[in-house]
């Protein structure tokens, strides 16, 4: 770890904030055949850059090992589709986009977002590394390049004349190993007056709401506005607007333009707030380690107490965050009977590390556990509503984050 340098600025002043130990890859679900094999594990250590303020993990798992995870992202929740439709409608109006404009999305998946530009008559270009998912997008009329976004692809697209009037990158920057290359790529394909709209989980929400389970190997960086502002400023770009969003437990939506474009008051305000509240200093983050330890203790104590009373417990949501939480808290088959998940790709498989079997949500009504640990707490409202019939029969949910509560 001594050799680790900041992914954004190259500094070697990167003290440790929190270690979650060695864990398997959070999205690497196991098939029944895999259960006889020991899984690979990797250190999960969170550090803070004292020069540019970026919070990041030290381990970079090679992308080809993570690549298969994309298969699970193809089914979007209703909440996320509504979110995508909303931002597209707003940008089409605000930026006056039409048939001569171009909307680009990095990690465009199955075209879940760009489809709304197609409907509005705006030309689109998706960039998506997974060929099978890109094919689904093409079937919806979303033109898609199968590749990873970075400086090499951006230069090639620029040479072909691609200039993005709007460019979206939702939940992609956290996964980028080469942040300077990403910024240079953005600079290359953003039109002169273009706007890049970038959504990232906000490190402030991660810390304030104790969302430690969003730390896993796919997420290399955890951004503050200060860290993004400094990164883009080094590459001829400028953060011109910012909003805080409730999605994914709390996100930042940052608008980036070429340097010299007018900057909204919201940017100056949030930068000042981060400085005032200590997000630019190490102490803000080291307090978090203690809060995470307290949360682990309250959750495992509650579950042990329920088990001692012969209560039967299952879990909901075989997502990566669930894997982090279960492995860090060592909650396995002695406590939970099974996990349910809506994705048919996950059903019949097993959670990494703790090796809990994954079933369809209908299993809750069949097996009737007394309690369900809600691992996908970021969709709590939607899931609790869907599970009304189960709850009407007395089934209760345990929401673990930010504080353990039973509903
Ligand atoms: Zn740095």
């Amino acid at each position: 770890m001594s050799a680790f340098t900041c992914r954004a600025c190259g500094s070697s002043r990167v003290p440790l904030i929190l270690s979650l130990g060695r864990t398997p890859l959070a999205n690497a679900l196991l098939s029944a055949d895999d259960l006889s094999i020991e899984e690979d594990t990797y250190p999960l250590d969170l550090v803070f850059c004292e020069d540019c303020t970026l919070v990041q993990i030290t381990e970079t798992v090679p992308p080809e090992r993570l690549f298969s995870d994309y298969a699970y992202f193809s089914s979007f929740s209703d909440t996320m589709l509504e979110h995508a439709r909303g931002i597209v409608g707003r940008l089409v109006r605000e930026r006056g986009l039409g048939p001569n404009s171009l909307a680009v999305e990095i990690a465009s998946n199955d075209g879940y977002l760009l489809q709304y530009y197609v409907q509005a008559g705006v030309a689109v270009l998706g960039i998506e590394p997974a060929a099978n998912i890109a094919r689904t997008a093409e079937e919806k009329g979303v033109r898609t390049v199968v590749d990873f976004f970075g400086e090499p692809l951006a230069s090639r697209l620029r040479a072909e004349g691609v200039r993005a009037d709007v460019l979206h990158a939702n939940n992609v920057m956290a996964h980028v190993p080469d942040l300077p290359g990403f910024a240079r790529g953005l600079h290359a394909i953003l039109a002169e007056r273009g706007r890049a709209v970038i959504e990232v989980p906000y490190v402030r929400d991660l810390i304030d709401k104790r969302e430690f389970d969003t730390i896993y190997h796919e997420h290399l960086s955890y951004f503050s506005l200060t860290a993004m502002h400094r990164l883009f400023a080094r590459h001829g770009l400028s953060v011109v607007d910012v909003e805080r969003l409730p999605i994914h437990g709390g996100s930042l939506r940052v608008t980036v333009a070429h340097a010299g474009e007018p900057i909204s008051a919201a940017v100056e305000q949030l930068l000042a707030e981060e400085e005032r509240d200590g997000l630019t200093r190490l102490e803000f983050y080291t307090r978090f380690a203690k809060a995470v330890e307290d949360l682990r203790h309250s959750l495992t104590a509650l579950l042990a107490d329920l088990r001692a009373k012969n209560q039967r417990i299952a879990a909901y949501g075989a997502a990566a965050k669930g894997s982090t939480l279960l492995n860090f808290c060592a909650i396995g088959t002695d406590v939970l009977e099974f996990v349910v998940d809506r994705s048919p790709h996950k059903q019949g498989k097993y959670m990494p590390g703790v090796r809990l079997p994954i079933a369809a949500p209908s299993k809750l009504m069949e097996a009737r556990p007394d309690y369900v640990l809600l691992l996908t707490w970021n969709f709590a409202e939607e899931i609790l509503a869907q599970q009304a019939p189960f709850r009407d029969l007395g089934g209760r949910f345990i929401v673990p984050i930010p504080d353990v509560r039973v509903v």
Side-chain angles (χ1 to χ4, degrees):
M1 203 182 99
S2 57
F4 181 79
T5 54
C6 172
R7 283 189 184 84
C9 77
S11 169
S12 52
R13 300 201 306 140
V14 281
L16 181 73
I17 300 167
L18 168 70
S19 177
L20 294 172
R22 288 186 73 93
T23 68
L25 297 180
N27 273 319
L29 301 182
L30 307 169
S31 67
D33 291 344
D34 297 331
L35 293 177
S36 58
I37 307 166
E38 202 179 326
E39 298 163 74
D40 291 335
T41 60
Y42 302 85
L44 197 48
D45 293 330
L46 197 67
V47 301
F48 170 75
C49 175
E50 293 189 297
D51 284 308
C52 77
T53 79
L54 182 65
V55 173
Q56 55 206 297
I57 61 165
T58 54
E59 189 77 11
T60 307
V61 176
E64 58 275 16
R65 294 234 50 201
L66 301 170
F67 189 66
S68 59
D69 309 341
Y70 282 71
Y72 302 121
F73 286 21
S74 52
S75 59
F76 280 91
S77 75
D78 305 340
T79 313
M80 286 179 72
L81 287 174
E82 195 48 43
H83 180 76
R85 201 171 66 90
I87 183 66
V88 168
R90 194 173 107 190
L91 282 161
V92 167
R93 279 194 312 277
E94 285 180 5
R95 307 298 300 166
L97 304 178
N100 297 321
S101 313
L102 176 65
V104 173
E105 186 180 19
I106 299 172
S108 50
N109 213 285
D110 62 356
Y112 76 101
L113 181 140
L114 290 177
Q115 64 182 343
Y116 298 115
Y117 282 109
V118 173
Q119 286 168 19
V122 177
V124 299
L125 177 66
I127 299 169
E128 168 54 51
N132 57 331
I133 296 173
R135 231 177 355 259
T136 313
E138 291 273 356
E139 283 161 13
K140 289 185 198 169
V142 174
R143 183 166 63 111
T144 304
V145 180
V146 179
D147 209 337
F148 279 105
F149 180 79
E151 207 176 1
L153 174 67
S155 306
R156 205 163 72 233
L157 292 174
R158 183 181 168 83
E160 290 166 13
V162 169
R163 298 289 186 280
D165 295 292
V166 290
L167 180 147
H168 291 270
N170 286 347
N171 299 302
V172 68
M173 269 189 83
H175 302 252
V176 173
D178 176 12
L179 289 170
F182 183 90
R184 288 192 294 265
L186 213 60
H187 190 273
I189 63 165
L190 199 59
E192 196 184 334
R193 306 270 344 269
R195 293 289 186 270
V197 180
I198 299 172
E199 292 182 16
V200 291
Y202 188 21
V203 73
R204 164 130 225 185
D205 290 298
L206 161 68
I207 304 288
D208 285 352
K209 300 184 212 154
R210 305 200 284 186
E211 296 165 353
F212 73 91
D213 57 344
T214 62
I215 302 168
Y216 47 87
H217 294 99
E218 284 84 340
H219 291 164
L220 302 170
S221 303
Y222 304 80
F223 291 96
S224 62
L225 180 62
T226 305
M228 293 191 98
H229 171 76
R230 292 184 185 176
L231 169 68
F232 289 122
R234 283 192 296 275
H235 298 281
L237 296 164
S238 171
V239 174
V240 295
D241 199 9
V242 65
E243 284 170 81
R244 288 183 72 168
L245 306 173
I247 197 162
H248 298 305
S251 296
L252 281 184
R253 177 187 281 156
V254 168
T255 305
V256 175
H258 285 288
E261 293 280 296
I263 296 173
S264 80
V267 174
E268 302 298 347
Q269 274 162 19
L270 193 54
L271 287 174
E273 184 185 299
E274 289 187 352
E275 178 70 39
R276 184 195 71 206
D277 295 346
L279 275 79
T280 53
R281 294 183 294 279
L282 177 64
E283 295 68 36
F284 181 81
Y285 302 96
T286 46
R287 279 199 304 273
F288 171 62
K290 167 80 170 67
V292 169
E293 199 44 61
D294 292 347
L295 182 62
R296 166 157 72 172
H297 182 261
S298 10
L299 179 61
T300 51
L302 170 68
L303 295 174
D305 183 49
L306 292 174
R307 290 297 296 133
K309 292 174 183 152
N310 283 320
Q311 296 293 291
R312 294 172 50 225
I313 317 169
Y316 192 110
K321 60 164 60 68
S323 177
T324 301
L325 185 139
L326 296 176
N327 282 293
F328 176 64
C329 298
I331 301 168
T333 46
D334 51 336
V335 178
L336 302 178
E337 295 184 9
F338 56 87
V339 179
V340 297
D341 195 283
R342 266 173 103 185
S343 167
H345 301 294
K346 297 183 180 182
Q347 294 159 11
K349 296 198 166 165
Y350 295 80
M351 295 291 279
V354 291
R355 303 189 162 194
L356 286 162
I358 304 166
S362 57
K363 177 135 187 201
L364 291 181
M365 286 300 260
E366 292 155 26
R368 299 281 305 278
D370 302 292
Y371 289 84
V372 180
L373 176 61
L374 183 54
L375 299 171
T376 42
W377 46 261
N378 49 324
F379 295 114
E381 212 173 308
E382 188 175 326
I383 292 165
L384 291 176
Q386 283 161 6
Q387 290 302 321
F390 170 72
R391 298 171 70 206
D392 288 344
L393 292 174
R396 306 180 79 183
F397 275 78
I398 302 166
V399 183
I401 285 177
D403 293 294
V404 180
R405 67 191 168 99
V406 176
V407 291

